[in-house]
Amino acid sequence: MALINEDYLKLPDNYLFTEIARKINILKATRGNAKVIHLDAGDTSCILRGELYNTLKQSLEESVEWEGSREFNAEEHHKTLVTRILKNEFETRGVKLTPSEIFLSDSAKNAAEDFNDILSTDNIIGILDPSYPAYIYSNVMNGRAGERMNDGRWSNLVYIPCNQENGFKPQIPKEKLDVIYLNLPNNPMGITMDSSELKKWVKYAMDNQTLIIFDAAHVHYITEEGVPHSIYEIKGAKKVAVEIRTLSKTTGYTGTNFSYTIIPNEVSAYTKMGEQVSIQKLWQRRHTSKYNGMPYNSLIAAEAAYSPQGLKERQELVNYYMTNAKLIKETLTKHGYKVWGGTNSPYVWVKTPNGMSSWKFFEQMLYEYNIVCTPGVGFCPGGEGYVRFTGFAKHEQVKEAMNRINNKIKM
Amino acid sequence: MALINEDYLKLPDNYLFTEIARKINILKATRGNAKVIHLDAGDTSCILRGELYNTLKQSLEESVEWEGSREFNAEEHHKTLVTRILKNEFETRGVKLTPSEIFLSDSAKNAAEDFNDILSTDNIIGILDPSYPAYIYSNVMNGRAGERMNDGRWSNLVYIPCNQENGFKPQIPKEKLDVIYLNLPNNPMGITMDSSELKKWVKYAMDNQTLIIFDAAHVHYITEEGVPHSIYEIKGAKKVAVEIRTLSKTTGYTGTNFSYTIIPNEVSAYTKMGEQVSIQKLWQRRHTSKYNGMPYNSLIAAEAAYSPQGLKERQELVNYYMTNAKLIKETLTKHGYKVWGGTNSPYVWVKTPNGMSSWKFFEQMLYEYNIVCTPGVGFCPGGEGYVRFTGFAKHEQVKEAMNRINNKIKM
C-alpha cells in the first residue's frame, strides 16, 4: 500500500498568495470593473530589459545551424557568467571566491528550500519572526518543524522575534541553534544589519557550529554605506555560511529564473558522531543528480545582465522600483501610518492602524481602494498587525494607488 | 551544531556520467587529437528546431513594450499549452484528462526524483533492474533505500529483474510493493509492453494499492501498433498511476527543459492509518511552494512544439534519431553482437562479447574506436555485461562511428 509523507498533511491549506488571489477573485466577481493595483508580490510578468532582450535575440540569431536545427555552446557561457559574477558581485566588495564555489540554479526561493534536503531532520532551526514563509514550509515538508500550534507557529522551530520594540532587528538567540535563516535586506520588513551587527551573528555561528543560510536576494537594493552586501565581508563567515543570490529582482526577469548559491570550500556541517563534512561536497552531489543545468536562454540573459550595459540597466531598474518604494513610504507616513523599510529594500512594512488585524487591513485596502498589499501575518505570526507593500510595480500604478489614498477615492 | 542528512554520504562518489567524462578526459589528455564520438547521452547542446526557434524569436519581437522593458502574458500561453497537450497526446489515444490533472515542470528526470518527496520513507519501492539511476539515487537521498550492498544493490529496494532469459520484460512481482517505477519505452533497454502486458501491472497495482510512477519520456519513439502510449489507455490506471512526460526528447530542446506530470483526480495513496489521500492535492501543495512556473521562453517554445508545424518537425526529429538507432542496431548485429531495443526507442542495448564487463567493453570502444557508449552496469547491477548506445546524435557522427566498427579502423 503506497504511503504518503504525512508531513505534507500538516501544511496549512492555503498558501499566502493563493489566499490573496482568492480574495481578489471574490472582489472581481462582485465588481467586474474593479481596477485592482498590485502592490503585493508584483513583477511576475516576465519583463526583459534592453540589453538582456537584445542579447537573447542576438544569441538566437547567431546560433550555429546544422541540418535545419540550431546549436549552442552552454559550457562557455556558463564559464563567462560565473567569472562575471565573481568580478562584479564579490571582488568589488573585497570578497575572494572561486568558480567552484558558485552553484547556478533556477530560483533563489527553491535554492533556499531545497538546501535543507542535505541537512538532518534533527537540526534545530532558527527563523526570524516574521520571515519569508518558504523557509518554514520547506522545513515542514522535511519533517523538521514539528506540529503547528494554536498561534500558527511550529513546535520545533525557534522563532527569533523582530518587532517594534527591537526596531525589527533580530537579537542573538540565547539557545544553541543548528541552522539559522538570515534574510538581508529582509523580506518582508526591509531591514538590514551593519557590519558590527552581522559580525555578532557570524561569531555566534562559529561558537556554536551553526550554519547560516544567508538569503541576499535583495542585496542590490542597499543604498546605505556600512551595510555588508555579502556575508563573506565578515571574517570567518566562509566557515559557517552559505549565501543565496538571485538576478531576477534586478532584471525583471522573474519568469526565466536564474539564481545562484555560494557554498565556500570551507563551510562544514557534521555527522551525529561529530565528524566534519564539506557542505559543498554534499550539495555538489545533490546538484549533479537533481539539477539539469540552467536553460540556455536564461544563461545567455544572465550573462548579458553582467555586461557593462546590463549592469547599468539593472541599476536603472533598481532605481525605478526604489522610487516607487519611496513614494509609498512617504504617502503612508504622511497619512499617519508607522512605516519601516523602503531605504535598503523595495519593501515597505506598515503597522496597521488601531491594532487592526493584518487580514482586516488587507481587506480594507482591497475593498475600499482596490489596492493589494500582503498581510504581515502571512509571513509568520510575528507579522500580525502589519502589512507589506512592495515597490515592484509600474510607476503609474503606484502613483494611482497613492492618489487613491491621498484623496480618499473609494472605489 | 549543524547536522547533515547522512543518507547523502551513502551515495557512491561518482555519478555514471561524471565517471564517463573522467575516462574521456584521460583519453584526451594522452591523445589530444582523438575524435571522440558520443553515442552515450548526447543531445545536450540546446538544439532548437525551425518552428520552435521561429516562434521564440517572434514572441520576443511581439512582446509588449513599456518604459523600455518588455512584458509577456504567461498565463494565456500556459492555458494554450495545456489544451494542446491534452488534444494531441491524450485525446488521440482515447484518454480523457482535464487541465487540472497536468502539472508543468522543468525536467522529467527531476519530476521523477522530486515526486517521491511526497511519499513516506516507509514505502517498499520496486525498480526494474537495470533501471534509470535517478530513481534509485533520489530514494537514497530520501532515506528509503537502506544500505548499499556489496553487489551494488540497495538493501531496502526490490529489484525486478530484466534479463536475457525474460527478454528484458519485467515479470509481475511476487512481493507486495508500495511504489513501482515503470519506464516505457524503457531506458536503457529500449523495450516496451503491449496492452495485455501493461494490464497485468495495472491489475497488480489495483490489487495491492500500489502506486505506479510511469515514466513515458520516450513515448514518441514508439513505432509498433498495440503498444500503449499512455498508461491511462489501460482501464483503472487513473486510480493507481502518475505519468511523466517530456518534450525535450522530440524537440532537441534539452537545454530549455520542459516536461509535465499527469496526476489524475482519482489517484490516491494512504496514511499509516489507512486513510485515503489525493496525491494530486499533495503534489499541488509541493508544486505551488517549490515550483516557480515554467520560464517564459520554455513556455513559448513548448506551445510551438504543439502547433501543426511543430508536431511535424518533432516527428522528423524522431525519425532522424530512429534512423541512427537503426544503423547502430544493424551494424552491431552484422558484427555478431546480441542487440535489443532500437525499434520503439532510440536506445540500443548490446550484450558485451565473451562475458566481458560493461566498463571493460566501454573502455575497448573508447580506446580502440573513440566511441562513447554507456556501461550497462551504470544503470544497476543487472545491467552488467551490457552497454547502451543511443541514436541521439548527428547522422554523420553515427555513420563515422559505424564505419570505424565496420572497417575496424582503430584510432
Side-chain angles (χ1 to χ4, degrees), chain B residues 280-299:
Chain B
Q280 191 187 89
K281 205 179 153 195
L282 287 192
W283 185 252
Q284 175 80 43
R285 196 60 194 73
R286 188 191 186 283
H287 208 59
T288 49
S289 182
K290 285 207 164 194
Y291 181 65
N292 278 343
M294 211 175 206
Y296 178 76
N297 298 306
S298 305
L299 191 59

PDB file of all heavy atoms in Angstrom, chain B residues 280-299:
ATOM      1  N   GLN B 280      -2.874  14.143  -5.968  1.00  0.00           N
ATOM      2  CA  GLN B 280      -2.893  15.421  -6.681  1.00  0.00           C
ATOM      3  C   GLN B 280      -2.852  16.583  -5.698  1.00  0.00           C
ATOM      4  O   GLN B 280      -2.134  17.563  -5.898  1.00  0.00           O
ATOM      5  CB  GLN B 280      -4.152  15.512  -7.541  1.00  0.00           C
ATOM      6  CG  GLN B 280      -4.150  16.662  -8.501  1.00  0.00           C
ATOM      7  CD  GLN B 280      -5.494  16.792  -9.197  1.00  0.00           C
ATOM      8  OE1 GLN B 280      -6.394  17.481  -8.715  1.00  0.00           O
ATOM      9  NE2 GLN B 280      -5.628  16.117 -10.316  1.00  0.00           N
ATOM     10  N   LYS B 281      -3.619  16.451  -4.610  1.00  0.00           N
ATOM     11  CA  LYS B 281      -3.670  17.519  -3.611  1.00  0.00           C
ATOM     12  C   LYS B 281      -2.296  17.706  -2.960  1.00  0.00           C
ATOM     13  O   LYS B 281      -1.844  18.830  -2.743  1.00  0.00           O
ATOM     14  CB  LYS B 281      -4.728  17.179  -2.558  1.00  0.00           C
ATOM     15  CG  LYS B 281      -5.277  18.394  -1.868  1.00  0.00           C
ATOM     16  CD  LYS B 281      -6.331  18.041  -0.843  1.00  0.00           C
ATOM     17  CE  LYS B 281      -6.367  19.124   0.235  1.00  0.00           C
ATOM     18  NZ  LYS B 281      -7.087  18.707   1.437  1.00  0.00           N
ATOM     19  N   LEU B 282      -1.624  16.606  -2.657  1.00  0.00           N
ATOM     20  CA  LEU B 282      -0.293  16.691  -2.042  1.00  0.00           C
ATOM     21  C   LEU B 282       0.715  17.318  -3.000  1.00  0.00           C
ATOM     22  O   LEU B 282       1.525  18.167  -2.630  1.00  0.00           O
ATOM     23  CB  LEU B 282       0.224  15.301  -1.653  1.00  0.00           C
ATOM     24  CG  LEU B 282      -0.381  14.590  -0.455  1.00  0.00           C
ATOM     25  CD1 LEU B 282       0.479  13.395  -0.090  1.00  0.00           C
ATOM     26  CD2 LEU B 282      -0.538  15.507   0.734  1.00  0.00           C
ATOM     27  N   TRP B 283       0.662  16.864  -4.252  1.00  0.00           N
ATOM     28  CA  TRP B 283       1.623  17.379  -5.228  1.00  0.00           C
ATOM     29  C   TRP B 283       1.366  18.859  -5.498  1.00  0.00           C
ATOM     30  O   TRP B 283       2.299  19.665  -5.640  1.00  0.00           O
ATOM     31  CB  TRP B 283       1.583  16.564  -6.525  1.00  0.00           C
ATOM     32  CG  TRP B 283       2.647  17.020  -7.481  1.00  0.00           C
ATOM     33  CD1 TRP B 283       2.464  17.716  -8.638  1.00  0.00           C
ATOM     34  CD2 TRP B 283       4.075  16.852  -7.337  1.00  0.00           C
ATOM     35  NE1 TRP B 283       3.684  17.982  -9.231  1.00  0.00           N
ATOM     36  CE2 TRP B 283       4.686  17.471  -8.448  1.00  0.00           C
ATOM     37  CE3 TRP B 283       4.874  16.241  -6.372  1.00  0.00           C
ATOM     38  CZ2 TRP B 283       6.066  17.496  -8.633  1.00  0.00           C
ATOM     39  CZ3 TRP B 283       6.255  16.262  -6.553  1.00  0.00           C
ATOM     40  CH2 TRP B 283       6.831  16.885  -7.674  1.00  0.00           C
ATOM     41  N   GLN B 284       0.092  19.201  -5.562  1.00  0.00           N
ATOM     42  CA  GLN B 284      -0.303  20.602  -5.751  1.00  0.00           C
ATOM     43  C   GLN B 284       0.342  21.472  -4.664  1.00  0.00           C
ATOM     44  O   GLN B 284       0.895  22.538  -4.940  1.00  0.00           O
ATOM     45  CB  GLN B 284      -1.833  20.697  -5.653  1.00  0.00           C
ATOM     46  CG  GLN B 284      -2.407  22.108  -5.710  1.00  0.00           C
ATOM     47  CD  GLN B 284      -2.486  22.620  -7.132  1.00  0.00           C
ATOM     48  OE1 GLN B 284      -2.884  21.890  -8.031  1.00  0.00           O
ATOM     49  NE2 GLN B 284      -2.083  23.852  -7.366  1.00  0.00           N
ATOM     50  N   ARG B 285       0.313  20.955  -3.436  1.00  0.00           N
ATOM     51  CA  ARG B 285       0.873  21.691  -2.300  1.00  0.00           C
ATOM     52  C   ARG B 285       2.385  21.875  -2.449  1.00  0.00           C
ATOM     53  O   ARG B 285       2.923  22.942  -2.201  1.00  0.00           O
ATOM     54  CB  ARG B 285       0.538  20.911  -1.010  1.00  0.00           C
ATOM     55  CG  ARG B 285       0.717  21.711   0.235  1.00  0.00           C
ATOM     56  CD  ARG B 285      -0.182  22.940   0.218  1.00  0.00           C
ATOM     57  NE  ARG B 285       0.216  23.883   1.267  1.00  0.00           N
ATOM     58  CZ  ARG B 285       1.304  24.635   1.238  1.00  0.00           C
ATOM     59  NH1 ARG B 285       2.120  24.597   0.209  1.00  0.00           N
ATOM     60  NH2 ARG B 285       1.569  25.451   2.223  1.00  0.00           N
ATOM     61  N   ARG B 286       3.058  20.793  -2.865  1.00  0.00           N
ATOM     62  CA  ARG B 286       4.504  20.887  -3.079  1.00  0.00           C
ATOM     63  C   ARG B 286       4.810  21.834  -4.249  1.00  0.00           C
ATOM     64  O   ARG B 286       5.692  22.666  -4.186  1.00  0.00           O
ATOM     65  CB  ARG B 286       5.088  19.501  -3.366  1.00  0.00           C
ATOM     66  CG  ARG B 286       6.619  19.501  -3.396  1.00  0.00           C
ATOM     67  CD  ARG B 286       7.185  18.208  -3.928  1.00  0.00           C
ATOM     68  NE  ARG B 286       8.642  18.198  -3.802  1.00  0.00           N
ATOM     69  CZ  ARG B 286       9.478  18.839  -4.596  1.00  0.00           C
ATOM     70  NH1 ARG B 286       9.023  19.550  -5.603  1.00  0.00           N
ATOM     71  NH2 ARG B 286      10.787  18.782  -4.408  1.00  0.00           N
ATOM     72  N   HIS B 287       4.030  21.637  -5.317  1.00  0.00           N
ATOM     73  CA  HIS B 287       4.279  22.361  -6.566  1.00  0.00           C
ATOM     74  C   HIS B 287       4.115  23.870  -6.375  1.00  0.00           C
ATOM     75  O   HIS B 287       4.946  24.650  -6.845  1.00  0.00           O
ATOM     76  CB  HIS B 287       3.288  21.852  -7.613  1.00  0.00           C
ATOM     77  CG  HIS B 287       3.776  21.956  -9.010  1.00  0.00           C
ATOM     78  ND1 HIS B 287       4.928  21.346  -9.450  1.00  0.00           N
ATOM     79  CD2 HIS B 287       3.279  22.586 -10.096  1.00  0.00           C
ATOM     80  CE1 HIS B 287       5.109  21.598 -10.730  1.00  0.00           C
ATOM     81  NE2 HIS B 287       4.125  22.366 -11.146  1.00  0.00           N
ATOM     82  N   THR B 288       3.060  24.294  -5.693  1.00  0.00           N
ATOM     83  CA  THR B 288       2.841  25.737  -5.515  1.00  0.00           C
ATOM     84  C   THR B 288       3.913  26.330  -4.601  1.00  0.00           C
ATOM     85  O   THR B 288       4.245  27.498  -4.705  1.00  0.00           O
ATOM     86  CB  THR B 288       1.449  26.055  -4.913  1.00  0.00           C
ATOM     87  OG1 THR B 288       1.234  25.230  -3.779  1.00  0.00           O
ATOM     88  CG2 THR B 288       0.351  25.818  -5.921  1.00  0.00           C
ATOM     89  N   SER B 289       4.484  25.510  -3.740  1.00  0.00           N
ATOM     90  CA  SER B 289       5.515  26.038  -2.850  1.00  0.00           C
ATOM     91  C   SER B 289       6.901  25.966  -3.476  1.00  0.00           C
ATOM     92  O   SER B 289       7.700  26.887  -3.347  1.00  0.00           O
ATOM     93  CB  SER B 289       5.494  25.268  -1.535  1.00  0.00           C
ATOM     94  OG  SER B 289       6.452  25.787  -0.647  1.00  0.00           O
ATOM     95  N   LYS B 290       7.188  24.879  -4.185  1.00  0.00           N
ATOM     96  CA  LYS B 290       8.558  24.617  -4.625  1.00  0.00           C
ATOM     97  C   LYS B 290       8.787  24.799  -6.122  1.00  0.00           C
ATOM     98  O   LYS B 290       9.832  24.431  -6.642  1.00  0.00           O
ATOM     99  CB  LYS B 290       8.962  23.193  -4.224  1.00  0.00           C
ATOM    100  CG  LYS B 290       9.274  23.046  -2.740  1.00  0.00           C
ATOM    101  CD  LYS B 290      10.254  21.907  -2.539  1.00  0.00           C
ATOM    102  CE  LYS B 290      10.910  21.927  -1.198  1.00  0.00           C
ATOM    103  NZ  LYS B 290      12.064  21.032  -1.140  1.00  0.00           N
ATOM    104  N   TYR B 291       7.816  25.307  -6.823  1.00  0.00           N
ATOM    105  CA  TYR B 291       7.995  25.496  -8.260  1.00  0.00           C
ATOM    106  C   TYR B 291       7.524  26.894  -8.629  1.00  0.00           C
ATOM    107  O   TYR B 291       6.463  27.328  -8.196  1.00  0.00           O
ATOM    108  CB  TYR B 291       7.202  24.441  -9.032  1.00  0.00           C
ATOM    109  CG  TYR B 291       7.345  24.538 -10.524  1.00  0.00           C
ATOM    110  CD1 TYR B 291       8.569  24.321 -11.132  1.00  0.00           C
ATOM    111  CD2 TYR B 291       6.247  24.855 -11.327  1.00  0.00           C
ATOM    112  CE1 TYR B 291       8.709  24.413 -12.506  1.00  0.00           C
ATOM    113  CE2 TYR B 291       6.376  24.935 -12.707  1.00  0.00           C
ATOM    114  CZ  TYR B 291       7.607  24.715 -13.287  1.00  0.00           C
ATOM    115  OH  TYR B 291       7.737  24.804 -14.649  1.00  0.00           O
ATOM    116  N   ASN B 292       8.322  27.598  -9.418  1.00  0.00           N
ATOM    117  CA  ASN B 292       8.019  28.996  -9.726  1.00  0.00           C
ATOM    118  C   ASN B 292       7.371  29.198 -11.082  1.00  0.00           C
ATOM    119  O   ASN B 292       7.267  30.320 -11.547  1.00  0.00           O
ATOM    120  CB  ASN B 292       9.297  29.826  -9.680  1.00  0.00           C
ATOM    121  CG  ASN B 292       9.647  30.206  -8.267  1.00  0.00           C
ATOM    122  OD1 ASN B 292       8.807  30.132  -7.366  1.00  0.00           O
ATOM    123  ND2 ASN B 292      10.877  30.581  -8.037  1.00  0.00           N
ATOM    124  N   GLY B 293       7.006  28.119 -11.733  1.00  0.00           N
ATOM    125  CA  GLY B 293       6.426  28.268 -13.063  1.00  0.00           C
ATOM    126  C   GLY B 293       7.476  28.081 -14.132  1.00  0.00           C
ATOM    127  O   GLY B 293       8.666  28.233 -13.894  1.00  0.00           O
ATOM    128  N   MET B 294       7.012  27.739 -15.312  1.00  0.00           N
ATOM    129  CA  MET B 294       7.889  27.485 -16.440  1.00  0.00           C
ATOM    130  C   MET B 294       8.492  28.803 -16.917  1.00  0.00           C
ATOM    131  O   MET B 294       7.769  29.784 -17.074  1.00  0.00           O
ATOM    132  CB  MET B 294       7.018  26.904 -17.551  1.00  0.00           C
ATOM    133  CG  MET B 294       7.700  25.937 -18.452  1.00  0.00           C
ATOM    134  SD  MET B 294       6.453  25.276 -19.572  1.00  0.00           S
ATOM    135  CE  MET B 294       7.186  23.720 -19.959  1.00  0.00           C
ATOM    136  N   PRO B 295       9.800  28.825 -17.175  1.00  0.00           N
ATOM    137  CA  PRO B 295      10.369  30.052 -17.744  1.00  0.00           C
ATOM    138  C   PRO B 295       9.617  30.430 -19.022  1.00  0.00           C
ATOM    139  O   PRO B 295       9.215  29.550 -19.791  1.00  0.00           O
ATOM    140  CB  PRO B 295      11.815  29.657 -18.063  1.00  0.00           C
ATOM    141  CG  PRO B 295      12.110  28.521 -17.166  1.00  0.00           C
ATOM    142  CD  PRO B 295      10.804  27.790 -16.984  1.00  0.00           C
ATOM    143  N   TYR B 296       9.433  31.714 -19.224  1.00  0.00           N
ATOM    144  CA  TYR B 296       8.630  32.179 -20.348  1.00  0.00           C
ATOM    145  C   TYR B 296       9.093  31.619 -21.686  1.00  0.00           C
ATOM    146  O   TYR B 296       8.286  31.175 -22.503  1.00  0.00           O
ATOM    147  CB  TYR B 296       8.647  33.710 -20.383  1.00  0.00           C
ATOM    148  CG  TYR B 296       7.877  34.249 -21.552  1.00  0.00           C
ATOM    149  CD1 TYR B 296       6.491  34.260 -21.534  1.00  0.00           C
ATOM    150  CD2 TYR B 296       8.535  34.690 -22.686  1.00  0.00           C
ATOM    151  CE1 TYR B 296       5.778  34.711 -22.611  1.00  0.00           C
ATOM    152  CE2 TYR B 296       7.825  35.144 -23.778  1.00  0.00           C
ATOM    153  CZ  TYR B 296       6.454  35.156 -23.736  1.00  0.00           C
ATOM    154  OH  TYR B 296       5.749  35.583 -24.814  1.00  0.00           O
ATOM    155  N   ASN B 297      10.407  31.599 -21.895  1.00  0.00           N
ATOM    156  CA  ASN B 297      10.919  31.104 -23.180  1.00  0.00           C
ATOM    157  C   ASN B 297      10.585  29.633 -23.392  1.00  0.00           C
ATOM    158  O   ASN B 297      10.271  29.196 -24.494  1.00  0.00           O
ATOM    159  CB  ASN B 297      12.440  31.284 -23.241  1.00  0.00           C
ATOM    160  CG  ASN B 297      12.817  32.740 -23.164  1.00  0.00           C
ATOM    161  OD1 ASN B 297      12.329  33.547 -23.935  1.00  0.00           O
ATOM    162  ND2 ASN B 297      13.658  33.067 -22.208  1.00  0.00           N
ATOM    163  N   SER B 298      10.665  28.868 -22.332  1.00  0.00           N
ATOM    164  CA  SER B 298      10.343  27.452 -22.426  1.00  0.00           C
ATOM    165  C   SER B 298       8.861  27.259 -22.743  1.00  0.00           C
ATOM    166  O   SER B 298       8.475  26.392 -23.525  1.00  0.00           O
ATOM    167  CB  SER B 298      10.657  26.754 -21.109  1.00  0.00           C
ATOM    168  OG  SER B 298      11.989  26.980 -20.733  1.00  0.00           O
ATOM    169  N   LEU B 299       8.064  28.100 -22.117  1.00  0.00           N
ATOM    170  CA  LEU B 299       6.618  28.022 -22.308  1.00  0.00           C
ATOM    171  C   LEU B 299       6.254  28.289 -23.767  1.00  0.00           C
ATOM    172  O   LEU B 299       5.478  27.541 -24.381  1.00  0.00           O
ATOM    173  CB  LEU B 299       5.967  29.067 -21.392  1.00  0.00           C
ATOM    174  CG  LEU B 299       4.469  29.045 -21.184  1.00  0.00           C
ATOM    175  CD1 LEU B 299       4.017  27.718 -20.604  1.00  0.00           C
ATOM    176  CD2 LEU B 299       4.065  30.177 -20.235  1.00  0.00           C
TER     177      LEU B 299
END
